[in-house]
Amino acid sequence: MSQRAIRQLHAHGKTLDLSTPKVMGILNVTPDSCSDGGRYHGVDRALAHAESMIADGVHIIDIGGESTRPNATAVGTDEELRRVVPVVQAIRQHFGDEIWLSVDTSNPQVMQAGIESGADIINDVRALRRDGAVEMAASLGVPVILMHSRGEPDTMDDLAVYDDVVAEVIDELSHSIERAVSAGVAREQLVIDVGMGFAKTYEYHQVLMTQLGTFIRQFELPMLFGVSRKRFLGEILQRTGLDSLQNHQPHDRDIIGAGMSLLAVQQGASIVRVHDVAKSVQMLSMWQQIYGE
């Protein structure tokens, strides 16, 4: 079992203790997410889902207004703001300051508006590569999740070519970390994400799943792991023949996704990002009781 990078994240006068693994619940306020597009689009539906996740034991709610699935359509700044900011404000108003909120965006204007509206964390699938993003993150002074990815939604599948996927992801994450720290983002406020589902094929995912601890030891930073409902899980079901039993719908991947999250936690991941909060909370609770974590 890998050593977890024990860290505390700080935002808005509160502390998130990562000495035990935390569950991040996904709240897509988009009409076109590949797994739940449109279900939580709108403040009332988003609030209801947030309430359900809180009841199930979620630690962080991740709010995203732009789909980053392969070949997704880009969203303009005004539209992303319109989707995200009212939901952040409403969750804060209804559920108080205790619940942690992250804003899933690469847009610096959405980062600023999201944090100023009450979010605590920036979760950027592009690792602050967009113009102005790294400077904005530094100015806001909140925790930042840097995910490994290549290209954009319409190009990332073509860029899924590696000679040594572990070494190359480490190298590219290193550049993202160095760039963030050089711009003024506090290193102790960083979380890494190897980017499951982003510019990676099934075979690369297989390798990464066995080497998550390598990344944690290399960077000595907390890791977020997110594979919930992604194509990789569907490919596992296909290769085992189980997709025919479940008709291969994204939500039918939740059990295997919870299992993958547990494997990640066993290797040292600090946060798991999931759609089905209840299954992951229950599985991690069982694991902590057995192993005393």
Side-chain angles (χ1 to χ4, degrees), residues 122-143:
I122 296 167
N123 181 18
D124 186 1
V125 301
R126 296 174 179 85
L128 306 178
R129 291 197 306 267
R130 280 192 174 169
D131 289 346
V134 69
E135 293 84 4
M136 178 60 72
S139 73
L140 293 170
V142 296

Side-chain angles (χ1 to χ4, degrees), residues 15-37:
T15 299
L16 183 67
D17 179 11
L18 297 180
S19 61
T20 57
K22 299 296 184 283
V23 174
M24 173 186 280
I26 299 167
L27 180 51
N28 289 321
V29 288
T30 62
D32 59 343
S33 170
C34 62
S35 60
D36 55 8

Side-chain angles (χ1 to χ4, degrees), residues 1-54:
M1 188 179 301
S2 296
Q3 178 66 46
R4 183 169 297 105
I6 306 302
R7 289 292 173 94
Q8 294 181 334
L9 301 180
H10 303 279
H12 298 146
K14 59 189 179 186
T15 299
L16 183 67
D17 179 11
L18 297 180
S19 61
T20 57
K22 299 296 184 283
V23 174
M24 173 186 280
I26 299 167
L27 180 51
N28 289 321
V29 288
T30 62
D32 59 343
S33 170
C34 62
S35 60
D36 55 8
R39 291 189 65 188
Y40 312 118
H41 187 46
V43 173
D44 290 343
R45 282 182 286 182
L47 269 178
H49 189 51
E51 183 175 23
S52 175
M53 289 194 287
I54 292 169

Side-chain angles (χ1 to χ4, degrees), residues 240-252:
T240 57
L242 294 176
D243 62 316
S244 61
L245 299 178
Q246 299 180 338
N247 200 28
H248 205 159
Q249 297 299 310
H251 65 268
D252 291 321

